[in-house]
């Protein structure tokens, strides 16, 4: 009998920033890296003979929890990739929900009828992933394996192995948490689900000690969409937000201003220079705060800075103020060199080349 631990990747930028990842590359979040450590503790005493992962960065990074401490090679396997979502790749879920609400609803609830230009269909993904897992099992008779894949792909496979149709997968087979563990058995002819979507390693005192009491969106809950602002409109909005945020003096010059909208309602502004990664203002309207929206502004800062080759974000905030607390919660670290009366906060956004 071959035992197969099927594991979803840790929390990645798309999960946190509400961006459709698909086969688009994204990094793990700070919380994601803590989940990797929790996964490493879970498997510390579990014998594993071989480790396979989708060739996307977020799964390879998660797989370090097992293959590095056990001194095993990592087998990169494109067949374990997430579904390709075509022209949705890299777009915010808020933008997708606004432009194609019916298709977005089908993506989560009626996989049998979801199809968009340039994307794989769910049935194609199911066939690809099931064939890949079965081929890996055939190549490793009697061994214990760890396979790292993605939420949608794993959801389709687990439902199929339990006899759930594509039509009913949305209702009867939920998406597991980031780093959720399922166990399959292969008897040489077929796969069987032993257990699925176990997240016990995320409930331990060691993991929970580092949790932040911050609301986070999950699954396909829509978020913000963004539009660029320029000219007098941008100047007027920026001055109002700058003053409301309690900042003094003129608004700093920056090359990019984005307005964040929830539906058709403007709720936030991002003002930054993506050439340097410097954020001058990340503003959410007071009545819309504490809803998981502010971090989506940072997602846009990451995107635009990375597109220009940058590997770091920075922002200034008054010591002890809410801006500094927000940046700390988002993984920024305080450094010397900020403007008078403020602290300079920095966050690395580059990919680890060793993964």
């Amino acid at each position: 009998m071959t035992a197969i631990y099927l594991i979803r990747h840790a929390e990645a930028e798309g999960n946190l920033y509400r961006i459709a990842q698909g086969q688009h590359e994204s990094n793990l979040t700070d919380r994601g890296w803590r989940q990797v450590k929790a996964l490493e503790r879970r498997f510390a005493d579990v014998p594993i003979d071989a480790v396979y992962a989708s060739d996307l960065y977020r799964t390879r990074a998660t797989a370090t929890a097992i293959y590095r401490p056990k001194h095993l090679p990592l087998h990169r396997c494109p067949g374990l990739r997430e579904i390709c979502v075509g022209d949705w790749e890299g777009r915010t879920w808020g933008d997708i929900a606004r432009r194609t609400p019916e298709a977005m609803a089908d993506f989560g609830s009626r996989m049998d009828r979801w199809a968009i230009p340039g994307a794989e269909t769910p049935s194609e993904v199911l066939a690809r992933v099931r064939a890949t897992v079965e081929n890996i099992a055939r190549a490793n008779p009697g061994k214990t394996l760890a396979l790292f894949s993605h939420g949608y792909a794993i959801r389709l496979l687990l439902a199929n192995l339990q006899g759930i149709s594509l039509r009913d997968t949305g209702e009867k087979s939920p998406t597991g948490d980031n780093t959720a563990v399922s166990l399959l058995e292969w008897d040489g002819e077929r796969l069987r689900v032993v257990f699925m979507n176990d997240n016990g390693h995320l409930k331990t005192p060691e993991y929970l000690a580092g949790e932040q009491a911050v609301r986070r969106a999950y699954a396909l809950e829509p978020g913000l969409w963004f539009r660029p602002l320029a000219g007098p409109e941008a100047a007027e909005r920026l001055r109002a937000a700058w003053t409301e945020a309690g900042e003094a003096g003129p608004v700093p010059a920056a090359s990019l201003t984005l307005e964040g909208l929830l539906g058709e309602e403007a709720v936030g502004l991002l003002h930054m220079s993506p050439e340097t990664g410097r954020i001058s203002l990340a503003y959410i309207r007071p009545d819309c705060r504490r809803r998981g929206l502010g971090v989506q502004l940072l997602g846009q800062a990451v995107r635009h800075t990375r597109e220009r080759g940058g590997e770091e974000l920075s922002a200034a905030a008054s010591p002890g103020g809410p801006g500094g607390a927000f940046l700390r919660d988002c993984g920024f670290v305080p450094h010397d060199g900020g403007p008078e009366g403020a602290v300079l906060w920095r966050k690395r956004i580059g990919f680890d080349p060793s993964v």
Side-chain angles (χ1 to χ4, degrees), residues 34-57:
R34 290 197 305 102
Q35 291 172 344
V36 170
K37 293 301 294 183
L39 201 61
E40 180 179 338
R41 289 191 291 267
R42 174 176 183 150
F43 280 90
D45 298 323
V46 178
I48 299 292
D49 297 303
V51 180
Y52 293 77
S54 149
D55 59 343
L56 297 177
Y57 181 89

Side-chain angles (χ1 to χ4, degrees), residues 29 46 84 112 143 162 166 171 204 233 245 248 268-269 312 336:
T29 65
V46 178
C84 172
D112 58 310
K143 294 182 179 180
Q162 296 173 95
L166 278 178
E171 178 183 353
T204 64
E233 182 183 23
L269 284 172
E312 183 179 83
D336 295 331

